[in-house]
Amino acid sequence: METTIVLEKEAVENLLPQKFPFVMVDRMFAYSETSLISGLNIKKDNIFVDQNIFLEAGLIEHMAQSVALHTSYQFFLKNETAPTGYIGSLKDIEIKKLPEITDTIQSTITILQEFAGITMVNIVTTLNDEEIAKGQMKTVLAK
C-alpha cells in the first residue's frame, strides 16, 4: 500500500466515536475491505504523553482507534451510521519502543476474521519504518 493521505485530521475525527482530547488517529493513508493504514502525529498536549514520551496506553488506544476507523469508514462508504464498537480482547500485544512528541506513527491493520459483528485483526505499528508495536485485537459491534 502507498502512503498518500486519504483522509486528513478533520475527516478522521468525524468518523471516530472518540472526541478531543481522546482522539489517537489523525490521518488515514490507505484503505481496503481487509486492511487500513492510519497515522498519528504525537503532540505535546496529547493526554498519553508523559515527559515527552507517548505511553503504552496511548499506543494501544491508537491501535484500537485504527480498527474503529476501518469499521466507521466501511459504514461511511455505504452511507450508513457506524454502530458503537468495543474491544473484546487483546492478544500477544508487544511494545518494543515508545515514540516521542513530534513523531508520526503508522498502524497497519489487517482483518483476519469477521463474523456477526465480531472482528479479529492483526495490528503492526511503525515509526520511520521500524516496527515498534504489534498484536491482535478482537472488536465487537454493539447491536
Side-chain angles (χ1 to χ4, degrees):
M1 282 189 207
E2 55 189 74
T3 56
T4 307
I5 295 177
V6 176
L7 293 179
E8 299 275 355
K9 185 178 186 342
E10 185 177 325
V12 168
E13 287 180 357
N14 287 333
L15 289 170
L16 291 173
Q18 294 81 5
K19 300 302 172 209
F20 180 84
F22 209 68
V23 175
M24 296 300 133
V25 176
D26 63 7
R27 61 197 73 178
M28 182 172 75
F29 294 105
Y31 168 86
S32 76
E33 285 187 23
T34 58
S35 64
L36 176 132
I37 300 175
S38 65
L40 174 67
N41 178 256
I42 301 163
K43 299 191 176 243
K44 188 172 187 71
D45 64 351
N46 187 295
I47 62 173
F48 290 113
V49 167
D50 185 33
Q51 298 180 15
N52 296 329
I53 302 293
F54 191 55
L55 302 174
E56 292 90 342
L59 270 175
I60 292 170
E61 185 60 29
H62 166 74
M63 295 163 101
Q65 288 185 24
S66 297
V67 177
L69 180 59
H70 185 271
T71 301
S72 294
Y73 196 64
Q74 279 181 322
F75 279 86
F76 170 78
L77 292 174
K78 297 185 283 187
N79 286 326
E80 297 176 8
T81 302
T84 302
Y86 301 95
I87 297 172
S89 66
L90 300 171
K91 180 180 174 187
D92 300 327
I93 299 294
E94 183 181 347
I95 297 175
K96 301 174 183 179
K97 179 179 180 179
L98 296 174
E100 301 177 12
I101 58 169
T102 74
D103 285 341
T104 298
I105 57 175
Q106 283 189 5
S107 283
T108 301
I109 68 153
T110 306
I111 307 295
L112 300 174
Q113 189 174 30
E114 197 167 23
F115 180 74
I118 300 171
T119 305
M120 175 64 87
V121 298
N122 191 64
I123 308 166
V124 176
T125 302
T126 60
L127 172 63
N128 300 322
D129 296 322
E130 175 189 355
E131 183 179 291
I132 62 168
K134 66 180 179 177
Q136 291 183 353
M137 186 175 295
K138 184 184 295 182
T139 60
V140 181
L141 296 180
K143 299 272 179 182

